[in-house]
Amino acid sequence: ETGVTQSPTHLIKTRGQQVTLRCSSQSGHNTVSWYQQALGQGPQFIFQYYREEENGRGNFPPRFSGLQFPNYSSELNVNALELDDSALYLCASRSEQGQETQYFGPGTRLLVL
Amino acid sequence: QKEVEQDPGPLSVPEGAIVSLNCTYSNSAFQYFMWYRQYSRKGPELLMYTYSSGNKEDGRFTAQVDKSSKYISLFIRDSQPSDSATYLCAMRRVSGSARQLTFGSGTQLTVLP
């Protein structure tokens, strides 16, 4: 086990709704990244937070937003859900900016109907 | 065209076989190259990473990077049924504050006992 947990494990929403996904990193990991993994695809980088500030973003619209808290937890918020947002959402944490080893959580599977 | 291309498989081999997994990429700025293993309903787990060109060996696993051809490989010797998983290649640039990874689409491997 990586020590990275995510909740909920599964979620069903309807188009237009908003969703909040949560991640709890390992103690001491001050960098967290979020990825979207569509079925049969590799993960796609959404954004990264370092010391509670966003310091990198992939090609995702502003309706994808996040927060990181001092207790090593973080959130991914998605507004105005679209059918194409159905995917596995992964968070990954690491201890310092220079470390290559990112520890992924098991993910939250989101289905948008 | 995707920045990272990976043969999706599926790939099925008998136990004890040598497995070769490959990715090609188009962005010459990529300098760090990783291989992740993802079991069903789990997050990706880092197997190996390599900086720039060359080979790296870890037990039954060998990673090769050929930057001149923009081609990376992962070899698994004496494959075991427990190696059955999806293998994802990933890579990133050196520059930038976020350690943004660009993943391939994954190769699904089944090792038959």
Side-chain angles (χ1 to χ4, degrees):
Chain A
E1 295 297 323
T2 64
V4 179
T5 59
Q6 291 186 243
S7 62
T9 55
H10 296 83
L11 201 53
I12 299 175
K13 291 286 189 178
T14 56
R15 193 169 49 183
Q17 285 188 310
Q18 178 268 342
V19 69
T20 297
L21 310 181
R22 294 179 174 82
C23 172
S24 180
S25 304
Q26 283 187 254
S27 178
H29 283 194
N30 55 14
T31 304
V32 65
S33 300
W34 285 87
Y35 288 81
Q36 180 195 66
Q37 186 175 20
L39 196 62
Q41 300 297 315
Q44 277 194 290
F45 177 75
I46 303 174
F47 46 58
Q48 176 181 284
Y49 278 78
Y50 173 62
R51 294 186 176 177
E52 301 167 44
E53 290 195 8
E54 182 181 306
N55 71 339
R57 189 173 188 94
N59 189 27
F60 281 81
R63 59 189 185 85
F64 286 79
S65 63
L67 286 170
Q68 185 185 26
F69 304 100
N71 65 351
Y72 308 114
S73 66
S74 61
E75 290 181 353
L76 165 65
N77 299 288
V78 187
N79 293 322
L81 283 167
E82 301 177 359
L83 298 180
D84 284 348
D85 295 334
S86 296
L88 180 69
Y89 288 85
L90 297 159
C91 73
S93 71
R94 66 174 182 271
S95 59
E96 285 296 335
Q97 290 271 58
Q99 296 297 318
E100 291 307 318
T101 305
Q102 296 192 55
Y103 296 91
F104 280 85
T108 293
R109 190 163 297 281
L110 173 65
L111 177 61
V112 182
L113 302 175
Chain B
Q1 183 186 4
K2 292 182 180 179
E3 282 190 292
V4 180
E5 298 280 358
Q6 184 174 6
D7 186 344
L11 184 61
S12 184
V13 301
E15 183 175 353
I18 297 175
V19 176
S20 172
L21 304 168
N22 311 294
C23 287
T24 59
Y25 63 96
S26 58
N27 191 336
S28 58
F30 288 136
Q31 295 282 352
Y32 283 92
F33 304 91
M34 296 89 167
W35 286 96
Y36 283 82
R37 177 175 61 195
Q38 186 173 23
Y39 290 115
S40 180
R41 303 185 185 280
K42 299 282 189 180
E45 170 194 13
L46 179 65
L47 283 175
M48 302 181 71
Y49 77 86
T50 310
Y51 173 69
S52 194
S53 284
N55 294 357
K56 189 172 185 178
E57 187 173 322
D58 184 2
R60 298 184 294 111
F61 299 88
T62 299
Q64 289 185 351
V65 175
D66 181 350
K67 290 190 66 183
S68 63
S69 302
K70 296 188 176 66
Y71 188 88
I72 70 171
S73 300
L74 177 71
F75 297 95
I76 307 174
R77 292 184 299 280
D78 188 24
S79 55
Q80 303 294 310
S82 59
D83 295 329
S84 299
T86 296
Y87 289 79
L88 297 155
C89 64
M91 45 200 79
R92 73 166 184 88
R93 302 168 181 81
V94 172
S95 60
S97 56
R99 298 298 191 260
Q100 173 180 346
L101 297 178
T102 302
F103 282 86
S105 57
T107 300
Q108 186 178 350
L109 171 68
T110 301
V111 180
L112 302 170

